[in-house]
């Protein structure tokens, strides 16, 4: 159904502009995937016709090696292929964030892991958010499917490691001896992910040079996440209010750990991609790029967590180099 903001709002699906051909096609295919049954074959929108093979799949400007002599010396076709790998990895990492962090955190709340949280209103909001996350997962899987088809390459997920954020989340959970520590770790990482992902999505959604289907996928996902950010804000504040001193300190430490993991450049993924593609000089390029501390963080807008900690009046209790972060959102 349409509303005053000009977007179409269908329960569960990202809001979209009906006058935008690409947005409409992405959402129509998403809805078709979701509702298809084994005995019914529905026609899918022709996303192929919207794919422009001349456009890169991912912004070269945010590649950690952008400008490095070894990167610049690569043939244009090879750089284009590496940017396709970057897009494939980005979508896979987004799926992992939804499935291993966000939805498990929402499920913990709905299952009563935090006794202070409950009630029909919260349960409805969280159930809707969990449906949203499943659609986001499908949307990013669809995005990779069309890329693989049009680039005529499998770009196997199995070649890639789990994302840095997913690995760090699991490492901290494994290092936690108490159930409450594991639960707060997942809630902390989900809080950071849900209130910080807009900064990453913006890098893709606002890029005018990359594949239009890809930037549109990020744009559609982004609209939902602004709503999820407010839900995660409130959950974090409500949980924090009922924790004792030690658990409050632990929760804050885990949120900072989550932010550090979320904004970091994922060199492990890049090491694997460059190895798979047998890029000459890759070890030197990686080593020299790592030495440049200005490239250590992919995302530099930390305003989501900064605002939340300010509202909670605990900003002075955490250690994080906010640098030139954009404050406020």
């Amino acid at each position: 159904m349409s509303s005053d903001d000009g977007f179409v709002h269908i329960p569960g699906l990202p809001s979209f502009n009906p006058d935008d051909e690409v947005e409409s096609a992405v959402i129509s295919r998403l809805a078709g995937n979701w509702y298809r049954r084994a005995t019914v074959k529905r026609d899918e929108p022709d996303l192929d016709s919207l794919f422009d093979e001349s456009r890169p799949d991912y912004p070269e400007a945010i590649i950690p090696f952008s400008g490095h002599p070894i990167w610049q010396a690569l043939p244009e076709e090879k750089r284009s292929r590496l940017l396709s790998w970057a897009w494939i990895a980005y979508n896979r990492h987004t799926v992992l964030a939804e499935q291993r962090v966000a939805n498990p955190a929402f499920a913990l709340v709905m299952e009563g892991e935090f006794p202070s949280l409950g009630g029909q209103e919260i349960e409805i909001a969280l159930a809707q958010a969990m449906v949203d996350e499943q659609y986001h997962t499908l949307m990013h899987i669809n995005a990779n499917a069309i890329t693989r088809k049009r680039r005529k390459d499998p770009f196997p997920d199995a070649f890639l490691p789990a994302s840095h954020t997913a690995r760090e989340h699991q490492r901290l959970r494994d290092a936690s001896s108490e159930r409450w520590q594991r639960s707060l770790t997942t809630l902390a990482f989900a809080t950071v992910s849900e209130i910080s992902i807009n900064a990453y999505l913006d890098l893709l959604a606002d890029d005018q040079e990359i594949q239009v289907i890809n930037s549109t996928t990020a744009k559609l996902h982004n609209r939902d996440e602004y709503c999820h950010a407010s839900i995660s804000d409130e959950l974090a504040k409500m949980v924090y209010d009922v924790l004792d001193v030690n658990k409050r300190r632990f929760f804050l430490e885990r949120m900072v750990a989550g932010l550090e993991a979320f904004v970091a450049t994922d060199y492990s993924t890049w090491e694997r991609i460059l190895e798979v593609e047998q890029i000459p000089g890759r070890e030197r390029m990686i080593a020299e790029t790592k030495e440049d501390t200005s490239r250590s963080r992919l995302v530099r807008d930390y305003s989501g967590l900064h605002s939340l900690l300010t509202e909670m009046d605990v900003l002075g209790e955490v250690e994080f180099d906010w640098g030139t972060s954009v404050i406020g959102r």
Side-chain angles (χ1 to χ4, degrees):
M1 63 190 72
S2 299
S3 65
D4 293 340
D5 60 10
F7 295 135
V8 174
H9 302 274
I10 301 174
L13 290 166
S15 302
F16 68 98
N17 180 355
D19 297 324
D20 187 307
E21 180 184 23
V22 182
E23 289 194 17
S24 297
V26 170
I27 294 300
S28 295
R29 178 169 181 172
L30 189 64
N33 286 162
W34 190 258
Y35 291 111
R36 186 182 298 110
R37 295 295 180 264
T39 56
V40 179
K41 174 62 179 175
R42 298 169 184 257
D43 292 334
E44 294 182 353
D46 184 18
L47 290 182
D48 282 13
S49 67
L50 303 173
F51 194 95
D52 182 350
E53 294 180 358
S54 67
R55 286 176 174 260
D57 291 318
Y58 190 84
E60 185 170 351
I62 62 176
I63 296 296
F65 317 111
S66 178
H68 191 282
I70 292 176
W71 174 271
Q72 294 302 119
L74 292 173
E76 182 178 351
E77 302 79 34
K78 179 60 72 173
R79 290 204 307 273
S80 175
R81 180 174 172 80
L82 291 171
L83 292 176
S84 295
W85 264 118
W87 173 243
I88 294 292
Y90 159 74
N91 285 308
R92 179 170 183 266
H93 293 174
T94 300
V95 169
L96 291 179
E98 306 287 27
Q99 299 302 315
R100 296 189 184 181
V101 181
N103 266 348
F106 293 154
L108 283 172
V109 177
M110 293 190 69
E111 292 165 4
E113 184 69 12
F114 308 103
S116 62
L117 302 183
Q120 182 171 284
E121 186 173 338
I122 289 179
E123 289 185 354
I124 290 174
L126 289 177
Q128 181 64 62
M130 292 175 76
V131 171
D132 291 345
E133 303 297 15
Q134 293 300 90
Y135 271 108
H136 298 160
T137 292
L138 182 55
M139 184 161 55
H140 288 279
I141 290 174
N142 280 342
N144 274 355
I146 189 67
T147 299
R148 290 176 172 122
K149 179 180 179 181
R150 292 307 304 266
R151 298 302 184 192
K152 298 179 174 61
D153 194 286
F155 294 112
D157 282 345
F159 283 3
L160 300 173
S163 66
H164 174 68
T165 303
R167 295 197 312 272
E168 187 65 8
H169 169 250
Q170 191 59 53
R171 183 188 72 80
L172 291 173
R173 279 184 58 88
D174 291 344
S176 301
S177 58
E178 301 289 339
R179 173 173 167 170
W180 66 264
Q181 293 173 326
R182 294 190 291 273
S183 295
L184 285 178
T185 295
T186 294
L187 182 63
F189 267 67
T191 299
V192 169
S193 178
E194 293 298 285
I195 67 179
S196 302
I197 195 172
N198 296 116
Y200 192 179
L201 290 168
D202 284 343
L203 296 176
L204 303 175
D206 296 339
D207 194 291
Q208 301 298 309
E209 304 298 324
I210 66 172
Q211 191 65 236
V212 177
I213 295 174
N214 300 357
S215 60
T216 299
T217 295
K219 185 190 304 180
L220 292 167
H221 188 168
N222 216 7
R223 289 179 189 151
D224 275 352
E225 293 302 346
Y226 278 108
C227 175
H228 292 186
S230 62
I231 295 173
S232 294
D233 269 5
E234 292 307 312
L235 289 179
K237 287 185 284 191
M238 293 168 71
V239 169
Y240 183 82
D241 284 344
V242 298
L243 297 177
D244 61 33
V245 173
N246 290 333
K247 290 180 180 179
R248 283 184 173 186
R249 185 181 304 111
F250 181 89
F251 189 39
L252 293 179
E253 289 173 352
R254 285 297 194 256
M255 280 199 282
V256 171
L259 181 60
E260 289 175 341
F262 183 82
V263 303
T265 297
D266 193 341
Y267 283 110
S268 293
T269 293
W270 272 111
E271 287 169 356
R272 183 60 178 141
I273 290 172
L274 297 177
E275 178 187 10
V276 167
E277 293 296 320
Q278 289 295 292
I279 302 300
R282 59 185 179 277
E283 295 90 350
R284 180 164 71 87
M285 181 169 66
I286 291 170
E288 291 176 354
T289 303
K290 285 183 176 180
E291 291 175 358
D292 184 353
T293 57
S294 68
R295 296 175 182 262
S296 63
R297 291 177 176 175
L298 171 62
V299 178
R300 298 185 180 281
D301 179 356
Y302 326 126
S303 55
L305 188 59
H306 188 282
S307 296
L308 173 59
L309 296 178
T310 299
E311 292 170 10
M312 293 169 63
D313 197 25
V314 295
L315 187 62
E317 298 179 29
V318 303
E319 294 184 10
F320 182 80
D321 180 11
W322 300 103
T324 57
S325 169
V326 180
I327 306 303
R329 60 173 204 274

